[in-house]
Amino acid sequence: MLLKNATVYNEEFNPVRADIDVQGDKIACVGACVDSGDSLDLSGYTIIPGLIDMHIHGCAGEDTSDTDVKGLDAMSQCLVKKGITSFCPTSMTLSFEQLQKIFATVAEAMKSVTGAYIHGINMEGPYIAMSKKGAQNPAYVRNPDKEEFRRLYDGCGGIIKVVDIAPECEGAEEFIREVQPYCPVSIAHTAADYDQAVRAIEWGVRHATHLYNAMSGLTHRGPGVVGACFDMGRTYGLQAELICDGFHIHPAALRVAFSQMGEDGTVIVSDSMCAAGHKDGEYDLGGQTVYVRDGKALLADGTIAASTSNMYDELKNVISYGVPMKQAVKSATINPAKSIRVDDVTGSIKTGKLADLLVLDDELNIKLVMVRGQIKVNNL
């Protein structure tokens, strides 16, 4: 199929007038492509890569930790309607046995989901700091264990795409140095100070989970993890997640982060729970009750407990906050692809990559969603 006459965010993420020829599940041509007869005239529309949510626990009433293949398919169908073409179901801080079941379910669902497809697992916890556990279950918080992790990684066929760690915990350096070569390690849920965070980056950490949230913040005498990311991020190529729902982080703090990390260092994530796309009420998140009121998810003690947003709405938020369109789009596409090491197959509009595409009008309304060359949403 030929998608012609659109404004296309090309491989360099510059908007140009171009055609995109899709053959099978891949992009066969970008530019002046030959019209084979099966075509869509997208004059007046913009095409960007499909969005990639690398950190999502649930949506549409379903949760990754429910170990339900049908539930993961329902999530994938919900996400694709919002322009998300691929995602990483994200686990919580749980027992080894529970994580085994979750990972086996995700591995099975990868073969069958019908909306957005699954890259693999985002393993958030259990190797975190108790003092920064946030909405994670304290009963299962433990120190980094590279042998346990290897058993989980091998047991699910190596589909873990990122694992979180608090670098001040015992065994962190050994874990990071051994695991990072085959699975990205992210700094997360940590009380580390600036120096400890810098050492973690020097050991090999190249990602930060939901920057600002559940970590030591930036002050003028204690730069913390946030300061380390701002200070060292560009030098080491570190990428930082940002929950851009307008609730987790003030828009001004978001603008500061996008400016400091640069256009290659920011990653928009939803960190959404099962209440996303659902109604207010009481929900379970990793064995803890979450109360959702007016779209805000909180534990009984008032702790923020994930979001009820989605990446499409967050992308629009970021743009409305004044972040340049180019950086906003990269932060939802190629940057998360790089974070989970799948940028060779998706995340940008380039010949040979998967045809994961999102067509928008001038007001950023979704007009068409294509996943691996198949049209999943058509509002033209």
Side-chain angles (χ1 to χ4, degrees), residues 28-42:
C29 170
V30 181
C33 306
V34 177
D35 190 341
S36 60
D38 185 12
S39 63
L40 280 175
D41 189 342
L42 296 178

Side-chain angles (χ1 to χ4, degrees), residues 118-133:
I118 296 172
H119 287 292
I121 297 154
N122 181 332
M123 185 175 170
E124 186 182 12
Y127 311 132
I128 60 176
M130 185 68 77
S131 64
K132 293 291 185 179
K133 62 180 178 58

Side-chain angles (χ1 to χ4, degrees), residues 51 53 56-64 68-89 106 109-119 272 276 369 371-372 376-377:
L51 311 185
D53 195 347
I56 172 172
H57 298 281
C59 61
E62 306 292 343
D63 190 284
T64 300
D68 181 5
V69 171
K70 290 183 178 179
L72 287 167
D73 186 46
M75 285 173 58
S76 81
Q77 293 181 47
C78 176
L79 291 174
V80 79
K81 294 174 184 176
K82 291 294 186 177
I84 295 104
T85 54
S86 57
F87 67 110
C88 288
V106 173
M110 287 177 70
K111 307 170 187 175
S112 61
V113 291
T114 55
Y117 63 92
I118 296 172
H119 287 292
S272 68
V369 183
V371 180
R372 289 175 166 170
K376 298 290 185 176
V377 176

Side-chain angles (χ1 to χ4, degrees), residues 14-305:
N14 295 318
V16 297
R17 186 66 174 268
D19 306 328
I20 301 175
D21 185 31
V22 176
Q23 297 293 329
D25 62 353
K26 292 185 173 60
I27 298 168
C29 170
V30 181
C33 306
V34 177
D35 190 341
S36 60
D38 185 12
S39 63
L40 280 175
D41 189 342
L42 296 178
S43 299
Y45 295 114
T46 297
I47 305 179
I48 66 173
L51 311 185
I52 302 171
D53 195 347
M54 65 167 287
H55 187 161
I56 172 172
H57 298 281
C59 61
E62 306 292 343
D63 190 284
T64 300
S65 297
D66 290 340
T67 62
D68 181 5
V69 171
K70 290 183 178 179
L72 287 167
D73 186 46
M75 285 173 58
S76 81
Q77 293 181 47
C78 176
L79 291 174
V80 79
K81 294 174 184 176
K82 291 294 186 177
I84 295 104
T85 54
S86 57
F87 67 110
C88 288
T90 303
S91 60
M92 296 287 289
T93 293
L94 296 165
S95 70
F96 175 83
E97 291 75 20
Q98 288 171 298
L99 292 174
Q100 273 188 317
K101 293 177 182 177
I102 293 166
F103 296 175
T105 304
V106 173
E108 183 180 351
M110 287 177 70
K111 307 170 187 175
S112 61
V113 291
T114 55
Y117 63 92
I118 296 172
H119 287 292
I121 297 154
N122 181 332
M123 185 175 170
E124 186 182 12
Y127 311 132
I128 60 176
M130 185 68 77
S131 64
K132 293 291 185 179
K133 62 180 178 58
Q136 303 285 335
N137 193 327
Y140 299 108
V141 171
R142 50 195 184 272
N143 284 329
D145 185 334
K146 59 187 178 63
E147 284 79 18
E148 178 187 63
F149 176 78
R150 189 76 212 201
R151 288 173 62 198
L152 287 166
Y153 183 88
D154 291 341
C156 67
I159 63 168
I160 302 174
K161 292 299 183 180
V162 62
V163 57
D164 285 353
I165 190 170
E168 72 272 26
C169 294
E170 182 181 349
E173 179 178 1
E174 185 180 9
F175 184 96
I176 293 168
R177 290 189 184 279
E178 181 161 324
V179 171
Q180 174 70 16
Y182 67 89
C183 178
V185 180
S186 181
I187 187 169
H189 288 274
T190 173
D193 61 21
Y194 170 85
D195 292 328
Q196 289 172 316
V198 168
R199 283 197 294 272
I201 295 168
E202 292 172 342
W203 295 337
V205 165
R206 295 293 179 267
H207 192 80
T209 295
H210 45 52
L211 190 73
Y212 290 120
N213 296 108
M215 63 177 58
S216 53
L218 169 65
T219 70
H220 62 300
R221 292 194 180 94
V225 175
V226 174
C229 290
F230 288 169
D231 192 29
M232 309 297 288
R234 296 196 195 211
T235 300
Y236 283 88
L238 183 138
Q239 294 179 310
E241 296 176 7
L242 293 155
I243 305 171
C244 305
D245 59 359
F247 174 54
H248 279 76
I249 308 170
H250 190 281
L254 278 172
R255 283 193 293 271
V256 170
F258 274 87
S259 176
Q260 290 299 310
M261 296 302 298
E263 69 175 38
D264 296 320
T266 46
V267 175
I268 299 172
V269 298
S270 71
D271 191 18
S272 68
M273 59 170 293
C274 57
H278 223 240
K279 59 186 179 181
D280 284 0
E282 294 184 14
Y283 295 86
D284 179 83
L285 182 67
Q288 299 188 96
T289 301
V290 174
Y291 302 88
V292 179
R293 301 288 184 269
D294 299 322
K296 296 179 175 66
L298 304 171
L299 298 182
D301 64 2
T303 300
I304 296 177

Side-chain angles (χ1 to χ4, degrees), residues 347-366:
S348 62
I349 298 174
K350 179 182 178 182
T351 300
K353 286 194 175 185
L354 291 171
D356 299 333
L357 305 170
L358 176 57
V359 178
L360 304 170
D361 66 14
D362 288 341
E363 297 180 346
L364 302 182
N365 297 308
I366 294 174

Side-chain angles (χ1 to χ4, degrees), residues 7 9 15 44-49 51 80-84 268 310-330 332 358-369 377 379-380:
T7 298
Y9 274 72
Y45 295 114
T46 297
I47 305 179
I48 66 173
L51 311 185
V80 79
K81 294 174 184 176
K82 291 294 186 177
I84 295 104
I268 299 172
N310 62 80
M311 281 192 67
Y312 168 65
D313 289 340
E314 292 186 28
L315 175 65
K316 293 194 295 181
N317 286 346
V318 165
I319 295 167
S320 73
Y321 298 157
V323 174
M325 182 73 172
K326 181 177 182 179
Q327 182 174 8
V329 172
K330 291 182 73 172
L358 176 57
V359 178
L360 304 170
D361 66 14
D362 288 341
E363 297 180 346
L364 302 182
N365 297 308
I366 294 174
K367 306 307 293 184
L368 185 141
V369 183
V377 176
N379 297 321
L380 293 170

